[in-house]
Amino acid sequence: MQILAQIAFILAVAIGLGIFIRNIRRMIRNIKLGREADRTDNPGKRWGKMAKIALGQYKMVRRPVSGIIHVIVYLGFIIINIEVLEIIIDGIFGTHRIFAFAGSFYSFLIGAFEILALLVLVGVIIFWIRRNILTIQRFRARELTEWPKNDANYILYFEMVLMSLFLIMNAADYQLQLNLAPHYAMASGEIAGAFPVSSFLLPLLDGFTNSTLIIIERTAWWLHILGILFFLNYLYYSKHLHILLAFPNVYYSKIKPKAEFDNIEAVTKEVQLMMDPDADPFAAPAEPEGEAEGESEKFGASDVFDLNRVQLLNAYTCTECGRCTDQCPANNTGKLLSPRKIMMDTRDRLEEVGENINKNGKFEDDGKQLLDDYILREEIWACTTCQMCIEACPVGIDPLSIIVEMRRYLMMEQSAGPADLNNAMGNIENNGAPWPYNQMDRLNWANEN
Amino acid sequence: MAENIKVPTMAEYMAEGKQPEVLFWVGCSGSFDDRAKKITKAFVRLLNRANVDFAVLGTEESCTGDPAKRAGNEFLYQMQAAGNIEVLNGYEIKKIVTTCPHCFNIIKNEYPGLGGNYEVMHHTTFLKSLLEEGRLTVEGGKFKGKRITFHDPCYLGRGNGIYEAPRDLLRKLEVELVEMKRCKKDAMCCGAGGAQMFKEPEPGKEDVNVARTEQAIEVKPEVIAAGCPFCNTMMTDGVKSKNREDNIAVMDIAEMIATAEDL
């Protein structure tokens, strides 16, 4: 019986991890559909930023209520996972609390896990109340209905269930140890672990026989570990991927001044050619360096393939918290633009493309693209490029860069800018100012009263 | 106020074989917009007062390409940049000061990749350095004790991390500096950035500049201080739309200093 349980356990872990690895590989394949982005500069600065923002939750706590609760849930999540290590070893070898030899230190750890589990449980309940009962604007936005709304709640339910199972498991285990049940009780007669929270559950177990307690303990133990394996695989389909991706995402995030946009190199080459008085306009185009042969580079982005890999990683990392949208001046004043939706759309389209590749072996044109089918032009043009979204994001996402890439596509590939903007462009081109003034009048102010 | 300002051009300096200490990049708004021209002139009066050896490009200056770049027209931006860099490098310009955060950002951060490398300062930072060097003195004057709030321009504050230079100048004026709820890193945009200045806003329930002005009015300022000609226009319009132009002024910090000094 015991050996069967061990085999079942090993199989469950292997399958759980196997599917997880397959999903992660798909995700990496999808991210690599994007253009290369060189973010290898300043590793020291990048590690530092990662330590501060991803590990240290620096931006999370700028909103103290959600921030502090998040820190508790985050710490609980990380620390309680030490316990998962023991669960896995116990599961494989059929042992009971393999680390109990550490004595009082072990008791301290288990006791701390219990207190954290309780705090996480309370935190998650507060999160649920914030999402479902309080009227917090960013959780009521139009992009946060259906799946995104359910997804957020499922995660909270999961965590509630996992924490409850952990505590129930401990309570039954504690009672079994008190009953000196074989396999549970330590030879020394001491209690393995400390149960400052679950001991309050003991009255609920009053009068149960050891065999019933074992069933409760085993059931909770199995559901707990299976739940964790399920949750691990749920991540890929959920906004919850941030628990893994926040770290690389912050590492690769923008460290230049937020107002600095990149210069498109291909444009620089063309401009140099145009400005060069010696250039022969009829000469055959120079061999493109590093570009696909015979294909001129597409300017800007109309689909996920045109975005860079950091932007696609951003999309998978987004937790849909809506802090960006909450402070977006366009969104604040009722425009359609929501930076969070830009990220969600990018991910949805990327997943659609990924599914297409899973099915067909390679991407078959589906007649759709990120622009227009997901992100509307009205959203793109409402942006003031104020960089508030970048500043607000607790995990270093840059929605603005995607907006700018789409504007570049509309302007340079489609000549499809808003009419009044095109007038301003024409003025800049013709008289060096966005307004129709003569460049020769530029210094008139110096002589006016 | 009788205008008695000296505005030498680079061409004049070149003819005399001289190099100014700093080039004042005026920008399109500062050159053509009636409201922004006042900021330009106030800043020039301060430069004159501090005996700063400066010059402007005058008719050789052209749009930096900022609205084009933010609108997605990278081609037009790089054409503008190439032309400007050619002029600036031709004059061997080393140091630039500008009253416009958009010009500041693009020349400082985006021109270097195209061959334009200069030390670029926003006028608030430059004025602060003049004060520190003792070349310019500012005392409370007209604004002493007045309630002032500073609206951070996105491309100066969040975009380039400059929050304190403008505030330091206001403190020198001995004003009562009150902060809006959304300030510094969290400051809300005036609504002009990203080439929005040159187009109609998308449909919504309110204009961005009005929303931002409401936030400013909440802290009951006598003056909304600005550091960007576009913010200045947007906030001025916002104050007008709230019918508060009689008791709330929108002023650039350079104007405030010049006014305080009766220049």
Side-chain angles (χ1 to χ4, degrees):
Chain A
M1 220 8 233
Q2 176 64 36
I3 193 80
L4 278 181
Q6 284 169 252
I7 292 169
F9 177 80
I10 292 168
L11 269 177
V13 173
I15 292 170
L17 285 178
I19 301 173
F20 175 68
I21 289 166
R22 186 202 65 175
N23 283 344
I24 291 299
R25 290 174 68 153
R26 280 188 179 165
M27 183 188 79
I28 292 169
R29 178 202 67 194
N30 292 350
I31 289 173
K32 284 188 171 168
L33 294 172
R35 294 179 183 177
E36 279 183 46
D38 184 16
R39 298 276 168 99
T40 53
D41 59 311
N42 290 300
K45 198 171 177 184
R46 292 181 180 282
W47 282 109
K49 187 175 178 188
M50 188 173 96
K52 183 175 167 184
I53 291 178
L55 196 66
Q57 308 263 304
Y58 172 74
K59 288 209 176 175
M60 279 307 297
V61 293
R62 281 177 67 181
R63 294 198 180 198
V65 177
S66 57
I68 290 168
I69 303 173
H70 185 270
V71 169
I72 290 169
V73 174
Y74 158 77
L75 283 177
F77 175 83
I78 291 183
I79 295 172
I80 294 169
N81 271 333
I82 300 173
E83 173 64 5
V84 175
L85 185 67
E86 184 180 46
I87 288 181
I88 288 175
I89 296 174
D90 282 347
I92 293 173
F93 297 106
T95 47
H96 174 256
R97 295 195 179 264
I98 186 84
F99 296 151
F101 66 85
S104 59
F105 180 63
Y106 182 76
S107 297
F108 166 76
L109 278 183
I110 297 293
F113 295 160
E114 286 221 336
I115 292 166
L116 272 171
L118 180 68
L119 287 172
V120 169
L121 194 58
V122 172
V124 168
I125 290 168
I126 298 172
F127 276 157
W128 186 88
I129 293 169
R130 284 169 58 85
R131 269 187 191 268
N132 296 281
I133 298 179
L134 305 182
T135 46
I136 295 171
Q137 209 51 45
R138 64 191 160 109
F139 299 136
R140 308 236 155 186
R142 71 184 131 232
E143 66 268 21
L144 221 60
T145 54
E146 298 173 22
W147 169 249
K149 183 180 171 64
N150 294 336
D151 178 26
N153 280 330
Y154 292 159
I155 294 162
L156 297 177
Y157 299 144
F158 253 123
E159 286 172 357
M160 288 179 208
V161 169
L162 285 180
M163 291 305 117
S164 303
L165 287 169
F166 178 68
L167 292 172
I168 291 168
M169 175 186 88
N170 275 357
D173 190 289
Y174 184 35
Q175 186 63 56
L176 282 162
Q177 292 194 51
L178 290 173
N179 295 354
L180 300 173
H183 182 71
Y184 289 90
M186 298 238 289
S188 63
E190 287 171 42
I191 298 290
F195 305 96
V197 178
S198 63
S199 56
F200 287 97
L201 299 174
L202 290 188
L204 298 172
L205 304 173
D206 205 25
F208 288 151
T209 62
N210 277 1
S211 52
T212 310
L213 286 171
I214 290 172
I215 291 171
I216 294 172
E217 192 273 338
R218 283 291 89 189
T219 307
W221 186 92
W222 272 99
L223 287 177
H224 182 68
I225 189 69
L226 290 176
I228 287 172
L229 287 171
F230 184 84
F231 197 47
L232 186 68
N233 279 297
Y234 179 75
L235 293 183
Y236 178 64
Y237 305 95
S238 154
K239 70 176 190 123
H240 220 55
L241 257 181
H242 79 286
I243 62 172
L244 303 174
L245 297 185
F247 297 89
N249 196 72
V250 172
Y251 183 88
Y252 291 118
S253 65
K254 185 173 187 171
I255 55 171
K256 292 185 297 188
K258 290 184 186 68
E260 179 181 341
F261 296 8
D262 61 329
N263 292 322
I264 303 179
E265 265 179 61
V267 172
T268 312
K269 282 181 200 148
E270 280 197 41
V271 170
Q272 274 166 355
L273 203 64
M274 284 182 68
M275 304 275 288
D276 181 3
D278 301 325
D280 174 4
F282 301 108
E287 278 302 308
E289 292 160 42
E291 285 173 32
E293 279 169 53
E295 213 180 305
S296 63
E297 188 176 332
K298 176 177 174 180
F299 296 130
S302 61
D303 208 349
V304 286
F305 307 100
D306 311 320
L307 295 173
N308 71 41
R309 292 173 186 180
V310 174
Q311 291 167 323
L312 299 182
L313 174 65
N314 280 181
Y316 276 121
T317 307
C318 176
T319 320
E320 300 163 15
C321 71
R323 291 181 183 208
C324 52
T325 296
D326 202 38
Q327 285 180 277
C328 170
N331 192 277
N332 291 162
T333 52
K335 276 74 169 180
L336 212 50
L337 173 62
S338 161
R340 168 171 60 186
K341 181 180 170 292
I342 301 286
M343 302 319 300
M344 293 168 71
D345 285 344
T346 303
R347 178 170 176 178
D348 288 348
R349 172 58 183 161
L350 185 57
E351 272 303 296
E352 184 178 56
V353 167
E355 280 302 310
N356 184 318
I357 296 173
N358 293 343
K359 213 164 73 192
N360 303 316
K362 65 179 180 58
F363 181 68
E364 302 276 350
D365 189 10
D366 58 358
K368 290 205 234 170
Q369 59 175 12
L370 181 58
L371 182 67
D372 296 333
D373 292 308
Y374 286 85
I375 298 172
L376 304 179
R377 295 173 191 214
E378 186 180 328
E379 297 168 48
I380 294 300
W381 291 117
C383 175
T384 68
T385 70
C386 77
Q387 317 128 43
M388 191 63 239
C389 50
I390 312 176
E391 179 63 43
C393 182
V395 291
I397 292 171
D398 181 356
L400 171 58
S401 67
I402 296 179
I403 294 171
V404 170
E405 286 302 336
M406 300 196 116
R407 285 186 174 187
R408 285 172 169 174
Y409 173 79
L410 286 170
M411 276 299 212
M412 292 192 286
E413 295 283 344
Q414 304 277 301
S415 301
D420 29 14
L421 211 46
N422 286 340
N423 284 339
M425 297 300 124
N427 290 329
I428 293 173
E429 206 170 341
N430 296 324
N431 44 272
W435 300 288
Y437 294 109
N438 193 322
Q439 185 156 3
M440 286 302 117
D441 295 337
R442 260 201 184 250
L443 196 52
N444 291 5
W445 58 268
N447 304 311
E448 291 167 4
N449 271 327
Chain B
M1 203 181 307
E3 293 298 335
N4 195 10
I5 54 175
K6 287 185 302 205
V7 192
T9 63
M10 275 311 301
E12 289 161 15
Y13 264 80
M14 184 81 155
E16 292 174 34
K18 288 197 304 184
Q19 190 72 8
E21 173 187 343
V22 64
L23 174 88
F24 172 27
W25 184 276
V26 182
C28 300
S29 187
S31 301
F32 293 121
D33 181 89
D34 284 336
R35 177 68 189 83
K37 281 192 268 191
K38 292 182 183 163
I39 303 170
T40 307
K41 283 188 269 191
F43 182 59
V44 166
R45 285 198 291 274
L46 293 174
L47 292 175
N48 287 164
R49 156 65 74 94
N51 287 318
V52 175
D53 189 18
F54 78 99
V56 299
L57 286 176
T59 57
E60 292 183 280
E61 188 184 284
S62 188
C63 173
T64 57
D66 173 81
K69 187 170 181 84
R70 311 302 147 197
N73 196 335
E74 181 77 8
F75 199 83
L76 177 55
Y77 145 66
Q78 289 209 18
M79 291 290 288
Q80 288 297 118
N84 284 325
I85 290 169
E86 198 170 78
V87 172
L88 291 167
N89 288 353
Y91 283 125
E92 294 176 15
I93 299 294
K94 301 282 183 290
K95 190 170 172 182
I96 298 174
V97 63
T98 176
T99 46
C100 173
H102 296 267
C103 300
F104 165 73
N105 173 68
I106 202 167
I107 301 175
K108 177 175 178 286
N109 294 323
E110 293 164 5
Y111 277 19
L114 305 174
N117 294 287
Y118 322 100
E119 183 193 347
V120 190
M121 291 172 101
H122 185 248
H123 69 305
T124 54
T125 315
F126 188 77
L127 288 171
K128 196 187 156 199
S129 70
L130 291 180
L131 289 174
E132 281 165 359
E133 290 161 19
R135 297 169 69 181
L136 189 68
T137 49
V138 173
E139 276 156 36
K142 282 182 185 160
F143 295 98
K144 189 171 180 174
K146 291 209 170 169
R147 238 176 123 80
I148 314 281
T149 191
F150 178 65
H151 163 78
D152 290 276
C154 302
Y155 277 73
L156 184 69
R158 196 160 39 245
N160 283 291
I162 298 175
Y163 304 105
E164 289 311 315
R167 287 179 171 78
D168 286 344
L169 294 176
L170 289 172
R171 284 185 202 106
K172 290 273 184 207
L173 289 171
E174 296 170 56
V175 306
E176 185 197 345
L177 182 61
V178 283
E179 295 290 357
M180 286 181 252
K181 205 170 154 197
R182 287 171 75 168
C183 65
K184 299 182 184 172
K185 280 183 177 177
D186 293 315
M188 188 186 185
C189 178
C190 70
Q196 296 294 341
M197 185 77 189
F198 309 103
K199 61 184 268 298
E200 286 302 312
E202 276 60 32
K205 59 178 163 43
E206 195 178 16
D207 283 337
V208 177
N209 64 324
V210 176
R212 181 56 172 166
T213 306
E214 284 166 357
Q215 295 170 11
I217 291 174
E218 260 176 44
V219 298
K220 302 184 170 56
E222 288 169 78
V223 179
I224 299 171
C228 168
F230 296 103
C231 295
N232 196 309
T233 302
M234 293 308 252
M235 300 303 281
T236 304
D237 288 351
V239 169
K240 278 184 197 152
S241 80
K242 292 277 154 188
N243 295 316
R244 296 294 297 273
E245 66 266 38
D246 292 338
N247 46 26
I248 301 178
V250 181
M251 294 180 86
D252 192 275
I253 291 181
E255 292 179 295
M256 291 176 69
I257 297 174
T259 311
E261 291 291 289
D262 258 332
L263 290 177

